[in-house]
Amino acid sequence: MTPSSPGRTPSSAGTGGDGTAGTDGRGTAGARGPGPPPRPKFAAAARAALTDTRQRRNLRGATAVARGRAAAATAEPADWEALREAGRAIRDETLLGLDTHLEGLERAVTAAGGTVHWAPDAAEARRIVTALVRATGAAEVLKAGSLAVREIGAGDALARAGITLRETALADLVVQLGEDEPSHLLSPAAHRDRAEIRELFLRKMPGAPPDLPDDPEALAAAARAHLRGRFLSARVAITGANFLVAETGTVVVLESEGNGRMCLTLPDTLITVAGIEKVVPTWADLEVFLQLLPRSSSGDRMTPYVSSWTGVTPGDGPAEFHLVLLDNGRTQALADEIGRAALRCVRCSACLNVCPVYERTGGRAYGPVYPGPIGAILTPQMRGVESAADASLPYASTLCGACADVCPVKIDIPGVLVHLRGKVVESRRRRPVPTPELLMMRGLAWTMGDPRRYETALRRGTRWVRLMSRGGRIRRLPGLLGTWTEARDLPLPPSESFRGWWRRRNA
């Protein structure tokens, strides 16, 4: 799907690698050293968050406010459902012709003076970005909020090359200062309250006034003062993109703070990293998403800053513009007829704000990039379900359907979750040694395949289970069945089955 462009990427031009070891974004070790330890399963990763009452209170408050604002904003337009349907149709049609639109985008960007680089995976994207920054000789890079830049691990790669990546969005700055992990797509620091941010600024942010209060206006002013000098002296900036308009080669960024606009206008070199699914064919198509996205994400009628740029313009803005188009598992998701619906996502975070699981666990249990229900369907498709952590994500849901109800592009997230659970089970069937769960399910299938075996197992099982009851409840089942009773009790089964009662009644 991603055409190669020999000679146009710095890595292929012999400018050297990215100087990175670490991971390729899929949890596998790179060629230069051991990678980090494997991530735990979702349930294990969420345990710490479930005991953090302060974080749970912060997330509950933040998601409730976002949920209320989005509900009010989406109730205003009389044609909201028609807009959602239009958004779904545009995304589906674009994905079916994605190769054609990407080639058109490359031609338009190149004609406007920009350079397009194709990155099949995170490692290649890191090599491209690091080489581009090295070529400028800059020791510091500004970054506007971008999930794609986070996805490829650009910050760690640049750090290993001796280059400092500075976050400029307020929430990302809080996460960076706290050496923390983001917990929300739109508000990465949603798990922290104002008092925590004030204390963090006083400890980690040079120049923060000692009498800094914890009101939002003062905290924003302190961050603005901290970043202003860096904006004015920056030579390189890295951004993401909300949309890529294929017909003109235009990159579009939506944000609410203005830091993104300063990143893409003040430095000499601008590098944009964007997933290949960000393409929209025309400006008329973009109009639909400019209405859907702000109302679903922040509950605003329109986004405060909508910045768009096409290539370079002499004497106005950056002298160099590089667009890195990132695959990193997206074509793998595109090949799945059901799972490809996840690529419609416009990263509004509406599904996070209504999810009862996310509200209690926060975003870090889902992995480092895509939290919440959309992360539970996007990450396993982009990275595969081979690792225990990725295979556990489709089960991080109650399947209540609230996410599908609010999705502005009508992604059937519960349907995709069930589909992915099937893929996880199928992947386990191919293992040479069956898992205990699979052995248990095969045993149940054999037992339930014959009425006599079923009746016998039911009668004996009921007898044993009743022996384990205390006060009419069963608080702990043995072995693998104990997973069911970790968070719930089971009622005591009746001493006689319905079939037995029916036979006795009609004897």
Side-chain angles (χ1 to χ4, degrees):
M1 175 59 66
T2 54
S4 60
S5 302
R8 280 181 292 165
T9 64
S11 55
S12 61
T15 53
D18 61 349
T20 64
T23 65
D24 64 355
R26 297 174 188 235
T28 55
R32 301 188 183 185
R39 290 189 297 115
K41 292 181 180 180
F42 178 85
R47 282 200 180 96
L50 291 172
T51 60
D52 189 337
T53 54
R54 186 173 191 173
Q55 174 180 294
R56 290 180 61 179
R57 184 177 61 247
N58 293 341
L59 282 173
R60 186 168 59 247
T63 54
V65 170
R67 200 164 51 234
R69 286 177 57 85
T74 56
E76 286 183 341
D79 60 347
W80 180 250
E81 286 305 313
L83 277 171
R84 290 180 71 204
E85 181 57 28
R88 182 204 61 76
I90 292 169
R91 294 300 272 181
D92 281 351
E93 189 173 341
T94 304
L95 290 172
L96 290 176
L98 189 57
D99 51 350
T100 303
H101 297 305
L102 285 171
E103 289 172 353
L105 174 74
E106 181 185 29
R107 286 193 296 272
V109 171
T110 304
T115 305
V116 176
H117 308 266
W118 299 89
D121 53 32
E124 178 65 9
R126 287 196 299 270
R127 280 193 289 273
I128 293 170
V129 170
T130 307
L132 287 171
V133 177
R134 276 178 170 166
T136 67
E140 187 171 289
V141 177
L142 296 185
K143 171 181 168 286
S146 167
L147 291 169
V149 176
R150 190 187 307 161
E151 179 184 330
I152 66 173
D156 292 340
L158 290 171
R160 284 188 284 270
I163 300 165
T164 303
L165 185 74
R166 301 284 185 189
E167 298 284 358
T168 60
L170 179 56
D172 287 320
L173 176 64
V174 170
V175 171
Q176 187 179 45
L177 290 175
E179 300 176 2
D180 204 354
E181 291 182 1
S183 62
H184 192 274
L185 284 178
L186 190 65
S187 306
H191 56 288
R192 289 187 180 270
D193 56 32
R194 291 182 295 171
E196 287 180 290
I197 294 172
R198 172 187 175 275
E199 190 272 335
L200 184 65
F201 278 11
L202 291 176
R203 281 194 296 113
K204 297 287 190 70
M205 197 165 73
D211 59 344
L212 180 67
D214 65 358
D215 67 87
E217 186 176 351
L219 294 172
R224 192 177 297 120
H226 170 71
L227 292 169
R228 182 162 297 279
R230 291 186 166 84
F231 278 125
L232 296 176
S233 61
R235 294 164 58 191
V236 185
I238 302 177
T239 72
N242 290 98
F243 301 103
L244 306 168
V245 184
E247 66 175 349
T248 57
T250 303
V251 182
V252 181
V253 166
L254 281 65
E255 40 118 7
S256 58
E257 299 176 23
N259 64 298
R261 180 164 295 181
M262 296 181 80
C263 282
L264 59 90
T265 53
L266 294 177
D268 298 325
T269 301
L270 176 61
I271 303 169
T272 295
V273 182
I276 56 175
E277 82 283 10
K278 296 289 186 179
V279 174
V280 293
T282 67
W283 281 91
D285 298 324
L286 178 66
E287 178 188 338
V288 173
F289 298 109
L290 292 183
Q291 297 176 72
L292 287 172
L293 184 52
R295 290 180 183 272
S296 296
S297 59
S298 59
D300 293 321
R301 292 172 178 144
M302 64 180 293
T303 307
Y305 293 89
V306 179
S307 301
S308 62
W309 67 99
T310 307
V312 295
T313 302
D316 183 12
E320 285 187 39
F321 168 58
H322 299 270
L323 175 61
V324 181
L325 291 173
L326 178 66
D327 185 330
N328 202 32
R330 287 165 172 79
T331 50
Q332 181 176 300
L334 188 63
D336 188 323
E337 291 187 5
I338 297 175
R340 76 170 57 132
L343 297 178
R344 289 186 211 145
C345 178
V346 293
R347 312 289 193 265
C348 67
S349 73
C351 59
L352 278 72
N353 298 331
V354 299
C355 178
V357 176
Y358 170 82
E359 185 179 298
R360 286 155 180 80
T361 64
R364 285 172 284 187
Y366 293 87
V369 185
Y370 298 104
I374 188 62
I377 63 171
L378 199 54
T379 302
Q381 293 195 87
M382 292 168 57
R383 300 161 62 111
V385 294
E386 287 74 23
S387 77
D390 296 330
S392 69
L393 290 178
Y395 298 90
S397 171
T398 63
L399 301 180
C400 68
C403 48
D405 292 341
V406 298
C407 178
V409 286
K410 292 190 169 184
I411 301 174
D412 179 14
I413 293 179
V416 179
L417 285 169
V418 172
H419 171 66
L420 290 175
R421 291 180 185 185
K423 293 182 76 170
V424 171
V425 172
E426 287 302 318
S427 71
R428 290 172 178 171
R429 279 188 211 280
R430 296 192 294 270
R431 293 180 179 177
V433 179
T435 63
E437 182 185 7
L438 185 57
L439 285 176
M440 187 177 70
M441 289 300 174
R442 285 176 178 172
L444 282 174
W446 178 81
T447 303
M448 299 176 76
D450 179 85
R452 188 172 297 175
R453 287 199 295 265
Y454 174 73
E455 289 281 349
T456 303
L458 188 65
R459 190 168 54 252
R460 294 179 179 176
T462 300
R463 193 179 305 154
W464 279 103
V465 168
R466 288 179 65 85
L467 289 174
M468 290 187 287
S469 67
R470 295 289 184 277
R473 310 290 294 179
I474 301 165
R475 305 189 188 283
R476 176 76 181 166
L477 287 171
L480 287 176
L481 296 175
T483 305
W484 287 89
T485 49
E486 281 185 352
R488 63 177 79 83
D489 293 342
L490 286 180
L492 187 67
S495 58
E496 185 179 31
S497 70
F498 174 79
R499 287 171 181 268
W501 171 82
W502 186 262
R503 282 195 296 267
R504 180 169 56 78
R505 180 175 180 274
N506 293 283

